[in-house]
Structures are given as C-alpha cells and as structure tokens.
Amino acid sequence: LLVTAVGETLANLEGDCDVGLDGPLTLVSDVDMTLNGAMRGAGALTKRGSGFLALTGNSPIHTGALFVEEGTV
C-alpha cells in the first residue's frame, strides 16, 4: 500500500505501507501506532494526539521535517 500525502490529516496510518510525503501530513491519534513502511519525499510529518508513534521502516530518502506537537515518536 502506498499512501501519498499532500496536505492530509489522518487519524490512523499503521502497518506495512509506504508513505510518499509530497506535502505535509498530520497524524492525529490518541492510540499507539506502528508504521513499518518507508517514508520518502520532502513533506513534513506532524504528530498530534497523546498516542505513541513508532516509525520502524527504512526511510533514507525522507528529507522533510518531523514535528511532535503531542504524544511521542
């Protein structure tokens, strides 16, 4: 599964999916999530909500920023 984000806000993104960050992506969740896929692109990822987000995929070509406004990454 490939998810391409351009100004998206998602409540759940979990499992073995690759994320193409062509624009900003905001994850809002109060539950723990694990993203096993790779992230690529220059878009920023923002984490909101009290849950824990585990990024376990290999993401050497993600050049965007990571903002943690709430919760833990």
Side-chain angles (χ1 to χ4, degrees):
L1 174 65
L2 172 64
V3 177
T4 301
V6 180
E8 299 291 329
T9 299
L10 299 175
N12 189 5
L13 180 65
E14 186 168 24
D16 296 323
C17 60
D18 291 337
V19 179
L21 292 170
D22 296 332
L25 173 65
T26 301
L27 293 176
V28 180
S29 181
D30 291 328
V31 299
D32 295 348
M33 295 186 297
T34 299
L35 179 61
N36 298 320
M39 291 191 305
R40 59 179 159 263
L45 175 64
T46 301
K47 167 65 177 84
R48 292 184 184 148
S50 62
F52 176 78
L53 173 63
L55 302 172
T56 60
N58 184 8
S59 300
I61 54 178
H62 177 241
T63 58
L66 173 63
F67 301 103
V68 182
E69 295 182 357
E70 298 174 291
T72 306
V73 176

